[in-house]
Amino acid sequence: MMMQQALRNVVDKFRPQPTDPTQQQQQRACVDGIELLTGEDLWHTREGGPLRRRLHMSDGPCGVRGMGSTSNPSDCFPCSSAQAATFDPALVERVGTALGEECRRKGVDILLAPMVNIVRHPLSGRNFETFSEDPYLTGVLATAFIKGIQSQGAACCIKHFVCNDCEKCRFSATSDVSERALREVYCLPFEMAIADAKPLTLMTSYNKVNGVFSSENEHLRAILRDEWGFDGLVMSDWGGTNSEAVISTGLVDLEMPGPGHWLTPLRAEEALKAGTASQAAVQKHVSRLVDLAAKLDALQAELPPISRTADYIRSHRDLMFETATSSIVLLKNERDLVPICSEHFSARKRIALIGEPAKFVLPFRGGGGSGSVFTHHVVSPFTAIKERAKGIADVEYEVGCVFHFVPPCPPPDWFIPGNGSKDHGILLTFTDMQGKQLFETVVQYTHLHWGCDAALPSGVVAPFVCTLSGKFKPDHPGKYIFEMKGSGKTRIQLGDQELLPWTRKGSRKAETMVAPDADWQQFTFSLEQEASTPGDLVSGIWCEVECCPENMTLHSDALVADAVKLAEQADCAIVVAGVGSQFEKEGEDRRDLLLPGDQSTLIQRVAAANKNTIVVLLCGSAVDMSAWVNNVPVVFQAWYLGQETGSALAAVLFGDADPGGRLSVTIPRSLRDTPAFFNYPPVCDKILYNEGIFVGYRYFDKRGLNDRVLFPFGHGLSYTTFSFRLKTHHFFFFFLPWSDGAVLLWETLPARGTVTRPAGASRQRRIRRKARAHAT
């Protein structure tokens, strides 16, 4: 899907083509519904003719963004790479069912998920959004995910077909791949899901495959339509059509977003006259869209209305928590340091909690781009660990280092709404220019956006004044920096002073002192939005307020020193590190495998100061641990866990839940050791897939390079040891007679643990083809 920056690059393509009424009448007479082949806007199909209503689409896969933001937040589940680490298709299907319920609640017809591209290179910016380096695991989990969503009357759009495996040059690069690798690795997840789950829609990719854009690639059309028999709707990625060949090839049925450029009535009519497209083929495109709407109407008619009741909230939060704990991978656990228990503490009974993600968790709930959602809340590790440690130890916090370029969004517990509620959060109010209230709600964060894909609350039309207000009190005294920015005029008032005066657009900063004995101060941020178009395609209406202590600056030795001092005085130190949505996101690949900023240095120094150091990594894929992993007794790969991040981490750290995850990707010792190292980044808009079928663990097995693997695919420890009783009927086999590499085979079997703690296990096996004797 399309981020705002990408939209700027392609927005000019979607200006309506000039047509006169006579031409339009002739076109409709030629093919009934020909005008339906392009979208109406960013998120809707057109309606009219044979299509009685427009269909509403929404991004996924960790949540259903819909058209709501502050007025209709979304449940935020763990990212796809985290779901893959569960190795549990039944659990992933339940996640899909819950997301299908979110689609029903938000009136979404098509969820643009799952993404089943392969984790070919660890630097790809969207690795968090897809499942695995293994095509079979990806296909099994995608099948379960689709079944869950479509059971609730919503359509899945499986994406991006195909070889869209990095973000760099994604609009222009060609993925040059052998036929064998194309079939056995990159197409296999699509083929499996189409055969077993029957997704109702599919999305093509931006890139070329062997020199031809995916949306107009005849070879891909033949595979999808002729060989696999897929008769569902195929749509383009947003702005992913490039020439009139998209009509003549006949792969794409629907061009998104609207108003379109290459599948307009005028273009279709020209193709019909030129003989490059047949009337039957164009009519088939229309029929697929109409058939999709009929299927959805029939499915939705059988389901009752759904709303966000207390039971709905509880069941979804329980599922988010279960998925998160089941995905956390315990990479190492020397001296059985975890789970944390009272026996681990001296008379001091102190836990040092260190790291920006531990408290400023918003950028670490998920990756950036179309995979992000505006969520109801995010539980921070600091809040959850401090609550869980009550009666066991005192938890003290230091940030350690800062690695984001802008000050972070302040945590919710620095605010109370000031409307009589004692809950944390900040009051969001819309009024007209005369002061009449239009809308009011409590939000958890001060980064807000409307437009593009997030509608303003009902009844709110520019011009208006948007206000964030409440009582402000950070958890430590000292000097704090406020920064504000927005799409209109903005200002900040704190207490009796105007901290930042009215400023027209742009960004401004100011400092304020919070005394040690300071009480809650009245805080008010105002955005005055002029009478502009609220649905502006690129920038929309938005406001952001950041706040942090003055000393939270990039590359600060003092921050590291404070964290080390705290670690020296504690019984154990928990360092929460990560990558975050500023670096791991759609539209950009990561620059390297290193943890951003000074996090590696921080971990090394904390580990040297405290032998009981625990490292938790919040990231969507592999990171380089070589500088510190041998000196740290405990490491967790915790992915992006969504809105229950802190709750899940606290439960696993203290043994309330078993770390149930197993690696869905290989973690190499260094970037240089990875299969596609010499074929990345693209050169002259070419991405050479010279590693062939040997992606991920297959490469290390084939080349005999397992010593260059830090943690292998499928690795994960537990607090419980298991004994298995195997029965023949529990096995299922997946055999590729033409494969030279290892092939994944796994079973989820009943297991009996030797420790009294809930736990599960997936038994994994590798099979490989026996070498044949060749005649000489």
Side-chain angles (χ1 to χ4, degrees):
M1 289 305 306
M2 181 62 62
M3 297 190 317
Q4 294 174 17
Q5 182 178 359
L7 281 170
R8 293 188 184 98
N9 298 332
V10 299
V11 68
D12 287 340
K13 294 172 62 176
F14 303 115
R15 290 174 179 158
Q17 302 298 307
T19 59
D20 60 57
T22 304
Q23 285 180 313
Q24 292 177 348
Q25 187 175 3
Q26 291 172 346
Q27 291 155 3
R28 292 192 185 96
C30 179
V31 177
D32 186 24
I34 195 171
E35 69 278 1
L36 302 175
L37 300 184
T38 65
E40 179 180 82
D41 53 30
L42 268 174
W43 304 109
H44 297 90
T45 66
R46 297 179 186 274
E47 62 180 328
L51 191 62
R52 293 177 295 176
R53 68 178 183 93
R54 63 181 191 169
L55 301 179
H56 178 199
M57 307 176 194
S58 173
D59 273 327
C62 68
V64 181
R65 190 157 60 225
M67 290 299 290
S69 55
T70 54
S71 57
N72 193 9
S74 307
D75 288 340
C76 184
F77 283 80
C79 68
S80 295
S81 57
Q83 293 178 38
T86 68
F87 276 74
D88 189 343
L91 179 58
V92 173
E93 184 169 348
R94 289 166 56 205
V95 171
T97 301
L99 291 172
E101 291 173 345
E102 281 280 275
C103 288
R104 286 168 58 197
R105 183 177 71 85
K106 291 194 163 204
V108 169
D109 297 295
I110 305 171
L111 185 67
L112 304 175
M115 178 176 170
V116 299
N117 299 110
I118 298 299
V119 180
R120 174 179 175 259
H121 195 284
L123 295 186
S124 178
R126 296 180 82 172
N127 282 344
F128 69 94
E129 210 175 328
T130 191
F131 290 108
S132 174
E133 67 188 32
D134 184 79
Y136 181 63
L137 176 61
T138 300
V140 169
L141 297 180
T143 297
F145 185 88
I146 292 166
K147 286 180 177 178
I149 288 176
Q150 295 193 165
S151 71
Q152 298 301 305
C156 270
C157 183
I158 189 169
K159 63 184 186 182
H160 309 86
F161 190 63
V162 62
C163 293
N164 184 186
D165 305 307
C166 72
E167 293 300 284
K168 191 174 181 64
C169 303
R170 65 175 178 166
F171 295 110
S172 56
T174 175
S175 297
D176 289 352
V177 57
S178 71
E179 185 69 11
R180 182 181 179 189
L182 177 68
R183 300 277 190 155
E184 295 181 18
V185 178
Y186 301 99
C187 283
L188 184 61
F190 291 92
E191 183 179 10
M192 292 174 64
I194 287 169
D196 296 336
K198 296 178 173 52
L200 295 175
T201 70
L202 176 144
M203 183 188 295
T204 57
S205 56
Y206 288 123
N207 56 284
K208 301 171 186 173
V209 176
N210 295 327
V212 182
F213 281 110
S214 296
S215 60
E216 53 197 52
N217 194 303
E218 170 58 30
H219 185 49
L220 297 183
R221 188 210 63 78
I223 292 173
L224 180 68
R225 298 292 195 193
D226 300 341
E227 295 185 25
W228 300 348
F230 180 73
D231 199 37
L233 180 83
V234 175
M235 68 179 76
S236 71
D237 204 338
W238 269 223
T241 53
N242 298 275
S243 74
E244 61 274 2
V246 72
I247 302 176
S248 58
T249 304
L251 173 59
V252 174
D253 302 306
L254 176 65
E255 181 183 13
M256 290 297 294
H261 187 76
W262 294 108
L263 281 178
T264 60
L266 180 60
R267 298 276 192 182
E269 177 70 11
E270 290 173 349
L272 290 170
K273 288 180 180 179
T276 56
S278 69
Q279 185 170 335
V282 175
Q283 187 65 65
K284 185 64 175 175
H285 294 320
V286 176
S287 297
R288 289 194 183 106
L289 182 58
V290 175
D291 290 347
L292 172 63
K295 289 176 183 177
L296 292 175
D297 287 344
L299 290 170
Q300 292 166 6
E302 298 175 358
L303 297 167
I306 197 166
S307 59
R308 201 166 185 270
T309 63
D311 288 342
Y312 180 98
I313 294 170
R314 182 172 55 253
S315 65
H316 279 218
R317 289 193 65 176
D318 289 347
L319 180 57
M320 285 183 267
F321 175 82
E322 180 185 352
T323 307
T325 56
S326 298
S327 70
I328 296 172
V329 182
L330 178 57
L331 296 177
K332 59 182 298 190
N333 186 15
E334 295 177 0
R335 296 182 277 114
D336 291 329
L337 190 58
V338 288
I340 298 170
C341 56
S342 57
E343 289 78 9
H344 292 155
F345 295 97
S346 66
R348 292 178 296 186
K349 294 187 176 181
R350 297 179 73 183
I351 296 174
L353 183 58
I354 296 165
E356 181 182 344
K359 180 174 281 190
F360 300 92
V361 70
L362 188 63
F364 302 93
R365 73 195 188 283
S370 60
S372 62
V373 296
F374 186 91
T375 187
H376 300 276
H377 70 277
V378 183
V379 180
S380 74
F382 172 78
T383 300
I385 292 171
K386 189 169 185 177
E387 178 66 26
R388 179 59 182 82
K390 283 183 178 178
I392 300 176
D394 294 327
V395 177
E396 298 181 41
Y397 174 77
E398 287 289 347
V399 69
C401 71
V402 176
F403 53 92
H404 283 89
F405 304 130
V406 296
C409 181
D413 56 6
W414 287 7
F415 297 94
I416 55 175
N419 60 349
S421 171
K422 295 182 180 180
D423 295 332
H424 292 297
I426 192 162
L427 190 66
L428 169 68
T429 306
F430 285 90
T431 60
D432 63 19
M433 304 307 288
Q434 288 72 46
K436 179 184 176 182
Q437 182 172 305
L438 305 174
F439 178 82
E440 181 179 279
T441 190
V442 175
V443 296
Q444 296 291 302
Y445 295 98
T446 56
H447 284 190
L448 306 175
H449 184 276
W450 304 272
C452 185
D453 61 349
L456 286 165
S458 177
V460 177
V461 180
F464 60 77
V465 176
C466 167
T467 303
L468 289 168
S469 61
K471 303 286 188 178
F472 169 74
K473 183 182 178 183
D475 45 16
H476 290 292
K479 188 177 289 187
Y480 283 76
I481 298 173
F482 276 94
E483 181 173 351
M484 69 175 185
K485 46 199 165 186
S487 56
K489 289 170 58 179
T490 57
R491 74 169 177 178
I492 290 179
Q493 296 169 285
L494 187 63
D496 297 329
Q497 63 173 319
E498 187 175 57
L499 189 63
L500 284 167
W502 285 108
T503 302
R504 182 175 293 279
K505 300 187 177 181
S507 174
R508 280 191 77 172
K509 296 182 181 181
E511 297 176 352
T512 187
M513 179 64 71
V514 177
D517 57 348
D519 199 358
W520 292 94
Q521 299 184 73
Q522 179 63 39
F523 167 88
T524 305
F525 165 84
S526 301
L527 166 72
E528 188 175 288
Q529 184 66 40
E530 298 173 352
S532 58
T533 304
D536 182 271
L537 188 63
V538 177
S539 59
I541 293 172
W542 56 278
C543 60
E544 294 180 0
V545 178
E546 284 102 14
C547 178
C548 68
E550 179 192 36
N551 65 345
M552 279 186 61
T553 57
L554 293 169
H555 308 299
S556 169
D557 293 336
L559 290 180
V560 177
D562 289 344
V564 170
K565 183 178 179 180
L566 178 63
E568 290 173 340
Q569 300 168 354
D571 294 292
C572 75
I574 303 171
V575 181
V576 183
V579 178
S581 58
Q582 192 176 67
F583 301 96
E584 200 163 10
K585 60 184 178 181
E586 180 182 5
E588 288 184 30
D589 290 333
R590 291 158 60 190
R591 295 180 180 179
D592 51 49
L593 272 189
L594 299 174
L595 287 167
D598 299 328
Q599 292 183 98
S600 289
T601 300
L602 173 68
I603 293 171
Q604 292 177 68
R605 292 189 58 184
V606 169
N610 191 312
K611 65 178 183 179
N612 297 329
T613 295
I614 300 166
V615 174
V616 177
L617 297 171
L618 299 180
C619 49
S621 191
V623 296
D624 189 339
M625 311 179 200
S626 57
W628 48 265
V629 69
N630 292 332
N631 301 317
V632 173
V634 177
V635 182
F636 287 98
Q637 172 71 32
W639 318 101
Y640 296 128
L641 298 178
Q643 68 184 59
E644 298 301 318
T645 295
S647 304
L649 286 177
V652 167
L653 285 167
F654 288 89
D656 302 325
D658 190 71
R662 305 295 181 260
L663 287 177
S664 55
V665 294
T666 301
I667 298 182
R669 292 192 177 275
S670 71
L671 183 61
R672 191 177 184 84
D673 297 320
T674 55
F677 176 75
F678 292 105
N679 299 311
Y680 177 88
V683 177
C684 298
D685 267 353
K686 281 185 177 288
I687 308 171
L688 302 178
Y689 283 53
N690 286 343
E691 69 279 4
I693 66 168
F694 299 107
V695 179
Y697 67 84
R698 299 180 182 201
Y699 168 82
F700 294 99
D701 285 344
K702 178 69 174 178
R703 306 298 181 196
L705 296 175
N706 289 316
D707 62 323
R708 303 309 303 158
V709 174
L710 185 60
F711 296 106
F713 175 92
H715 173 73
L717 306 178
S718 173
Y719 299 151
T720 299
T721 56
F722 295 96
S723 61
F724 291 94
R725 179 175 296 176
L726 303 183
K727 295 181 180 180
T728 304
H729 66 267
H730 283 132
F731 287 89
F732 61 88
F733 296 93
F734 178 73
F735 181 56
L736 301 178
W738 23 256
S739 179
D740 292 326
V743 177
L744 173 67
L745 177 77
W746 95 91
E747 319 138 64
T748 301
L749 295 171
R752 184 169 54 207
T754 59
V755 178
T756 307
R757 179 175 285 111
S762 292
R763 184 180 179 91
Q764 302 169 41
R765 297 187 176 192
R766 306 291 196 280
I767 59 175
R768 69 172 65 247
R769 183 175 173 179
K770 185 177 180 180
R772 296 177 180 176
H774 295 275
T776 57

